[in-house]
Amino acid sequence: MSAAVPPWARSFSPYATFGQVPPAQVRDAVRQQFTRWGRPEWLRVDNGVPWGNWNDLPTAFALWAIGVGIHWHWNDPCCPTQNPKVERAQGTGQRWGDAKSCRSVAELQANLDDADGYHREKQRVTKVKKTRLELFPELQDSDRPYTLAWENGHWDLALVEDHLSEYVVPRRVCASGHVSVYDHGRFVGNQYAGEYVKVQYDPDAHLWIIRDSQEREIRCMEAPEINRAEIDKMSFRKPRHKK
């Protein structure tokens, strides 16, 4: 007879790893933080989903945040020491929350809220004898406030397009003459099969520009995925049609 699964392992999340959490759910959680603390000017992130992935172009999640007016800085892959305080905070939060002793998400959240409030508002930093909130009072009054209504009126595709234009990414043309950009196959030409080309987004023409190794423009392609509706889906994968 197998041992019973403890309540915390069964009820806290249906996902085995954070990378399996749908990006839309992560965005909802990030929006909650923006609502409370305001929009940061920069986000420093690692390369795990949904912040980044194997692709050499920004994820839909990153493009959404850029459209909100947030700059992104990606750490180098496999270099957690580039963001040590945040990495340390992950383990600290797990200890404070004590998830294994909790019987519900609400109980875990309460643990985290209590610990968070204590260390921010009550515990005094030894050298200066002030709380963290006293040291950083501007945290309570952000000059970059956020609400979902504000996002709906201010999300800016031009910011996304300008950011995308900074990328020049290599692609190897497959035997059928296609290259892949955001999971969409783009036909370059059978004559280029096996060759490497460069792909760059043109924010003025709203097109993907394909150039050969000699920097000669060989194709201009539509970019139907670069719009708010598609980015809001948090995925650029082509829909699968039933046979």
Side-chain angles (χ1 to χ4, degrees), residues 28 30 47 68 70 72 84 113 144 148 166 175 177 183 207 209:
D28 289 344
V30 170
N47 293 272
V68 174
I70 299 171
W72 275 53
D113 289 344
R144 288 168 56 88
L148 185 56
E166 299 174 4
D183 294 330
L207 297 171
I209 308 300

Side-chain angles (χ1 to χ4, degrees), residues 45-190:
V45 298
D46 61 23
N47 293 272
V49 176
W51 329 110
N53 58 17
W54 60 269
N55 206 325
D56 44 14
L57 292 169
T59 63
F61 189 100
L63 296 183
W64 161 75
I66 290 167
V68 174
I70 299 171
H71 299 286
W72 275 53
H73 177 89
W74 282 273
N75 291 332
D76 293 328
C78 304
C79 294
T81 54
Q82 292 182 0
N83 211 11
K85 292 183 179 179
V86 171
E87 295 292 340
R88 178 69 177 267
Q90 306 295 341
T92 301
Q94 290 183 37
R95 292 193 299 275
W96 288 354
D98 192 18
K100 292 186 178 182
S101 70
C102 298
R103 303 190 68 85
S104 69
V105 174
E107 185 178 350
L108 172 59
Q109 187 64 60
N111 284 358
L112 291 171
D113 289 344
D114 287 345
D116 228 22
Y118 173 78
H119 286 275
R120 182 172 56 248
E121 301 164 15
K122 296 181 179 180
Q123 186 186 49
R124 297 186 179 277
V125 179
T126 304
K127 290 184 179 180
V128 294
K129 297 183 178 180
K130 291 185 177 181
T131 66
R132 289 169 175 81
L133 192 58
E134 289 171 336
L135 289 171
F136 304 101
E138 64 274 13
L139 290 175
Q140 292 196 104
D141 187 20
S142 172
D143 60 355
R144 288 168 56 88
Y146 170 89
T147 65
L148 185 56
W150 178 93
E151 178 186 327
N152 290 334
H154 291 81
W155 193 91
D156 193 347
L157 181 63
L159 295 176
V160 173
E161 294 186 297
D162 286 344
H163 182 87
L164 270 180
S165 69
E166 299 174 4
Y167 294 78
V168 180
V169 297
R171 289 291 185 273
R172 189 170 188 267
V173 184
C174 69
S176 65
H178 290 77
V179 296
S180 177
V181 182
Y182 278 138
D183 294 330
H184 293 253
R186 326 275 173 150
F187 183 71
V188 178
N190 292 322

